[in-house]
C-alpha cells in the first residue's frame, strides 16, 4: 500500500524531475538563434489550427465537467475554446515572431582604464515557472513568450483546464521535436494537488523564477511559500481621483472607461475619489452614469448625502476601500484635498494603476511624484496599463512588485543579464 | 512575568514598528533633490571623523568582548575600527556624493499612436532591509547608498558589532535631523536574536527588498524564510579554466591573482581546471607557484599523479568541488575538453564569476555563451568582479541571482521604475 507521504514524495519527485528536464532543455535552448526561434513560433502557429479538432475535443470534456460541477457562466465562457480562439492563439504566436529577440542585446558596454572591455548582455533566465488559473490560452501565450526569450517553461494550470492544457502542450512538444528543439522545453505539471505548486516554488536551484497569474489568493500562496524568486502580478485595487481642477466631461469619460470597459481585469478601477470642491456637481452625475452602466455604488457618507436614497447605492464599509471587486461595483468617496487622495491611495491601493483627472499642472506633478504604483495616469484611463497598449507587443503579466520588473512584462522582462569581461591578461592590483 | 512568547511578540512588534517608521521616512525622502541628498552625505562625511572618539570608544568595547570570547585574529581585525578606517568611511560618502542620482532618470519614453505620452522613470525602492555580518563599515556604506538612492534603510548587523553600529547610527540619525531629513530613514534593528531577521524578511508590505550580505548560511537563511523579495549576494565558488590554447604566463598570472590577491572575498577563485593537453607542463608549475604563495592544493587523481608526493598537496574529495574555501586552499583538476570544463562549472559553480584563459576565439565564444554566471572573464582575473572596478563608483553587494540585478549592485540597482502616462482624456476602445 502506498501511504499519503509516499504520494507526497512521489509528487515532489515528479515536479523536480520535470524541472531538471526543463533545465537541461534550457541549456540547449539558450544559444538558439532568433531565426530558429521564430521558425518554431511560426510552426506552432501553423500546427494549432491544423490540430484544432483534438484541442476542441479535449476542451469540450473540460467544459462538460465544469458545467456538471455547476460552474458559473462567466467561468465556463473563459474556459471554452473555439476555432476562432485557437486561431487567436496562432495569431499571437505570429505577432511574437515579429518582435525583436531580447537575447544578446548589449545593455551597457565600456572600456575600463586598464583596457578591460566590459559588456552587459541580455541572456535567458533559464527555467520559468508559470502558475495560473482559468483561460487555456495562457498555456500557449506563456510558452510562446518563454521560448522566444530562450527559456524553458514549467506550466502549472488549474485542474479545470487540465485536458485542454494537456492537448495544447502535446501540440507544443510535437512541434518542438519536429523543429529540432528539446521537447522538455515545455512541461505541464500535475494540477490536481495544491502541493505541486509548493514543490515548484521551492525548487531553488532548478527553477529561476516563478510567475503567478491569477487571483489574490493564488498570488499570495505562491509568494508566501516561494524560495525561488517570484514576481507578484496582477492584483489591482486601482483608483480614479477627480481633482478640484478636473474637466468635468473628461473625468466622466475616464471614470466610465476605467470602471466599465471590462470589470474582470486587473487594470479596472475599483474606487472613485472626488475632491470636495467638485463633489456637489460631479458626484450625482457620476453616480447616475455608473448606475446607467449597471454599477453598484458603495458610497461613503458624503456621497450618500449627495445622492440620497438611490437604488443601487449602498453604504461603503471599511472593507470596501481594500476590495478588488473585479465586478460591476465601485467604492466612491469625497476627499478634502489632493493630499487626502494620495494618503487614501497609499493606505488602500495595491500599487497597480492610479489615475488623476486634472487640468492643474502642480496637482498632476504632485500626484505622479507621490503615488507609489507601477503606473500613474494623468488624464487617461486606467485601462491603458497593458503590454500591448504600451507598445511591448505582448504581455506575460503585470508586475505589482518593485524588483526586476514593474508594470507590464514582456520579452525583455523574461531575461536576465550577464557581464562579459574581455582582457589580455589583466590582473587586479593588491589595492 | 514576561514569557518567551511575549518576548517573541515584543520583538516582532519592535521590528514592524521600525519598518513602519522607516516607511513613513521613505515617503519624505523619495522626492528629495540630488543637491539635498549630496549635502547630507557631505555632512555625514564631516561628522564621522569629528565624532571619531565616541565611535572608537564603542568599537573598543566590541573588540574587547570579541577578544574575551576568544575570537580569531582575522575576525578581530575585521571588527576593529581606527581613525584611518573612519576616515575611509567618510571618503566613501564623499565619493558617493559625486555619483549621479539614479532617481528621476527616464529609462524609456515614447508617444503612442493615440497620443499618450509614456515615460518609464527611476524611483526609489522605498524601504531596504540589510542583513549583514562582520565589518562595521557596512553600516555606513549601506546607509549612504540607500539614502543617495532615496531609500530608507533597516540595518540588522551582527551582535559582535552592536556597540560600533549603534554609535555609527547615532551619528547618522543626528546628521539626518540636522539636515532636515527624517531621522527614521536609518534604523538599527535588534541584533541579539536570530528571530529579528525572520521578522524583518517576512514584513511584506512594509519592507520592499532585503539584501543579505555575509556567509552562505546567512544568505540561505534569509532566502528560505523571506516573503519580502530578497536579492541573493556573494557566494562565489569561482573557477579559472586554463584552456588548451592558453598562454602559459598569462594563465599563471591570472591564476595567482584570482586565488591569492585576497582569499576571503567572494570573487576569489576556488577551483582551477586545466585542459589535459597543457596539463603536463602547466600543472606542476601552477602547483609550485600556488605552494610558494602558501596555498594548499586539493588535487584530483590526475593532478596528484603529475605533482607526486608534494607537501601541501592533498587529495580532493567530492565536497571540494562545491566548497567556497575563502581561505588559502584551491581545488585543482584536469579536464579532457572545454565541454567538460563547462559541465564541471555548471554542476559546481555558484553563478558568481568564471574565467577562461585562452588565445582561441571559438573557445572564448563557447565559454562565454555557455557558462551561466553573473560575470564571465576572458583572459582576466576573477578579482575584477567588483562595483568599483566596473566603474559603478560603489557597491552594495554582488548579486548571484538572476532577477532584478546580476553581478555588482550600486545606485541604479537600489531603485525601481514607475510608468508615467500623460493624456488629454484618452480612453481605451472596447477592443
Amino acid at each position: 500500500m502506498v501511504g499519503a507521504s509516499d504520494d507526497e514524495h512521489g509528487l515532489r519527485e515528479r515536479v523536480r524531475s520535470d524541472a531538471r528536464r526543463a533545465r537541461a532543455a534550457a541549456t540547449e535552448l539558450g544559444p538558439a538563434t532568433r531565426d530558429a526561434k521564430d521558425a518554431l513560433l511560426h510552426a506552432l502557429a501553423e500546427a494549432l489550427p491544423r490540430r484544432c479538432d483534438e484541442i476542441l475535443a479535449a476542451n469540450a470534456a473540460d467544459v462538460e465537467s465544469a458545467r456538471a460541477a455547476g460552474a458559473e457562466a462567466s467561468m465556463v465562457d473563459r474556459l471554452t475554446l473555439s476555432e476562432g480562439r485557437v486561431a487567436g492563439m496562432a495569431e499571437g504566436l505570429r505577432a511574437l515572431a515579429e518582435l525583436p529577440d531580447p537575447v544578446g542585446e548589449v545593455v551597457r558596454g565600456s572600456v575600463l582604464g586598464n583596457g578591460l572591455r566590459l559588456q552587459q548582455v541580455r541572456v535567458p533566465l533559464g527555467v520559468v515557472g508559470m502558475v495560473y488559473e482559468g483561460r487555456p490560452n495562457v498555456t500557449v501565450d506563456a510558452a510562446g513568450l518563454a521560448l522566444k526569450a530562450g527559456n524553458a517553461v514549467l506550466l502549472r494550470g488549474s485542474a479545470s483546464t487540465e485536458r485542454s492544457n494537456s492537448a495544447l502542450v502535446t501540440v507544443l512538444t510535437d512541434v518542438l521535436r519536429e523543429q529540432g528543439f528539446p521537447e522538455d522545453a515545455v512541461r505541464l505539471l500535475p494540477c490536481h494537488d495544491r502541493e505541486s505548486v509548493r514543490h515548484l516554488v521551492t525548487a531553488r536551484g532548478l527553477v529561476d523564477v516563478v510567475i503567478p497569474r491569477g487571483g489574490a489568493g493564488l498570488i499570495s500562496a505562491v509568494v508566501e511559500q516561494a524560495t525561488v524568486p517570484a514576481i507578484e502580478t496582477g492584483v489591482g485595487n486601482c483608483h480614479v481621483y477627480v481633482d478640484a481642477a478636473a474637466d468635468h466631461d473628461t473625468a466622466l469619460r475616464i471614470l466610465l472607461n476605467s470602471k466599465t470597459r471590462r470589470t474582470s481585469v486587473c487594470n479596472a478601477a475599483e474606487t472613485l475619489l472626488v475632491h470636495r470642491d467638485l463633489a456637489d456637481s460631479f458626484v450625482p452625475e457620476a453616480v447616475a452614469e455608473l448606475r446607467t452602466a449597471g454599477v453598484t455604488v458603495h458610497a461613503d457618507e458624503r456621497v450618500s448625502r449627495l445622492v440620497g436614497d438611490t437604488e443601487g447605492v449602498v453604504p461603503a464599509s471599511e472593507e470596501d476601500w481594500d476590495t478588488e471587486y473585479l465586478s460591476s461595483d465601485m467604492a466612491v468617496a469625497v476627499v478634502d484635498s489632493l493630499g487626502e487622495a494620495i494618503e487614501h491611495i497609499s493606505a488602500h491601493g495595491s500599487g497597480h494603476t492610479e489615475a488623476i483627472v486634472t487640468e492643474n499642472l502642480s496637482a498632476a506633478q504632485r500626484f505622479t511624484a507621490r503615488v507609489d504604483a507601477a503606473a500613474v495616469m494623468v488624464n487617461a484611463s486606467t485601462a491603458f496599463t497593458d503590454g500591448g497598449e504600451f507598445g511591448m507587443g505582448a504581455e506575460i503579466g503585470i508586475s505589482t512588485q518593485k524588483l526586476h520588473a514593474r508594470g507590464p512584462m514582456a520579452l525583455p522582462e523574461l531575461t536576465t543579464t550577464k557581464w562579459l569581461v574581455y582582457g589580455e591578461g589583466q590582473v587586479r592590483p593588491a589595492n
Side-chain angles (χ1 to χ4, degrees), chain A:
Chain A
M1 266 185 65
V2 176
S5 70
D6 286 341
D7 281 354
E8 182 56 28
H9 181 75
L11 184 62
R12 178 170 185 274
E13 273 317 299
R14 161 73 199 278
V15 170
R16 294 181 71 85
S17 147
D18 278 344
R20 272 187 290 265
R21 289 170 68 167
R23 188 137 212 93
T27 309
E28 282 185 64
L29 197 61
T33 63
R34 170 172 180 181
D35 285 353
K37 290 186 286 189
D38 287 352
L40 171 69
L41 294 173
H42 280 292
L44 283 170
E46 186 273 321
L48 287 169
R50 184 164 45 76
R51 295 174 63 174
C52 202
D53 286 354
E54 62 189 279
I55 295 166
L56 294 186
N59 182 248
D62 279 339
V63 170
E64 202 185 297
S65 300
R67 284 225 176 87
E72 282 179 35
S74 64
M75 193 275 195
V76 172
D77 176 60
R78 278 201 299 278
L79 169 59
T80 306
L81 291 178
S82 63
E83 268 188 44
R85 284 184 174 180
V86 172
M89 294 182 203
E91 208 37 66
L93 292 171
R94 282 194 196 96
L96 211 47
E98 297 305 310
L99 293 177
D101 188 343
V103 175
E105 187 198 341
V106 179
V107 179
R108 286 189 263 187
S110 62
V111 181
L112 301 180
N114 56 11
L116 284 179
R117 300 185 307 286
L118 209 62
Q119 287 187 2
Q120 187 183 26
V121 298
R122 279 203 188 285
V123 295
L125 282 166
V127 177
V128 176
M130 288 289 304
V131 183
Y132 56 103
E133 289 167 336
R135 298 172 192 271
N137 64 308
V138 175
T139 303
V140 174
D141 290 355
L145 277 156
L147 292 169
K148 172 92 186 198
N151 300 295
V153 62
L154 295 169
L155 299 163
R156 205 289 192 178
S158 61
S160 63
T161 50
E162 184 185 21
R163 282 162 289 202
S164 312
N165 287 345
S166 181
L168 291 167
V169 169
T170 300
V171 176
L172 288 167
T173 48
D174 286 351
V175 175
L176 278 164
R177 199 170 43 240
E178 283 158 26
Q179 295 287 316
F181 282 90
E183 62 178 82
D184 288 342
V186 178
R187 305 278 310 160
L188 188 65
L189 297 178
C191 60
H192 278 281
D193 191 328
R194 279 201 160 248
E195 287 300 290
S196 66
V197 174
R198 188 166 64 81
H199 297 314
L200 171 65
V201 305
T202 56
R204 212 177 138 211
L206 296 175
V207 178
D208 293 293
V209 56
V210 181
I211 304 174
R213 236 178 98 161
L218 170 81
I219 291 164
S220 268
V222 166
V223 172
E224 296 285 338
Q225 295 184 81
T227 57
V228 167
I231 300 180
E232 283 191 64
T233 67
V235 175
N237 186 18
C238 307
H239 299 71
V240 173
Y241 165 61
V242 178
D243 185 50
D247 177 79
H248 195 100
D249 291 344
T250 302
L252 277 180
R253 196 164 64 246
I254 288 173
L255 165 66
L256 287 171
N257 187 258
S258 298
K259 177 67 245 180
T260 66
R261 180 182 169 276
R262 278 175 69 191
T263 56
S264 64
V265 291
C266 58
N267 60 24
E270 307 291 11
T271 297
L272 167 67
L273 302 173
V274 181
H275 192 285
R276 67 173 177 198
D277 291 358
L278 204 80
D280 288 356
S281 63
F282 187 77
V283 166
E285 196 171 343
V287 169
E289 295 253 18
L290 286 170
R291 288 298 307 133
T292 304
V295 176
T296 300
V297 170
H298 302 254
D300 80 341
E301 270 184 36
R302 289 203 270 186
V303 170
S304 297
R305 233 174 291 138
L306 284 166
V307 300
D309 201 12
T310 311
E311 201 204 318
V313 177
V314 298
S317 68
E318 262 313 299
E319 274 164 44
D320 279 292
W321 314 115
D322 294 310
T323 302
E324 187 191 21
Y325 298 115
L326 296 175
S327 62
S328 284
D329 290 83
M330 188 168 220
V332 184
V334 172
V335 292
D336 285 333
S337 63
L338 170 61
E340 194 186 322
I342 292 170
E343 271 172 40
H344 181 105
I345 291 168
S346 164
H348 303 288
S350 63
H352 192 293
T353 301
E354 306 298 349
I356 182 174
V357 186
T358 189
E359 299 297 312
N360 181 286
L361 181 59
S362 74
Q365 282 177 336
R366 204 163 145 223
F367 191 84
T368 51
R370 294 275 174 168
V371 166
D372 190 22
V376 183
M377 305 284 171
V378 178
N379 297 327
S381 169
T382 58
F384 283 114
T385 302
D386 172 87
E389 292 294 320
F390 276 17
M392 296 174 175
E395 180 184 291
I396 199 158
I398 295 177
S399 164
T400 53
Q401 72 175 38
K402 293 181 180 177
L403 281 202
H404 186 68
R406 200 177 190 202
M409 296 187 292
L411 288 171
E413 288 74 23
L414 287 173
T415 65
T416 181
T417 59
K418 180 197 274 188
W419 288 97
L420 301 183
V421 184
Y422 297 92
E424 293 85 30
Q426 281 90 337
V427 296
R428 188 171 165 191
N431 238 337

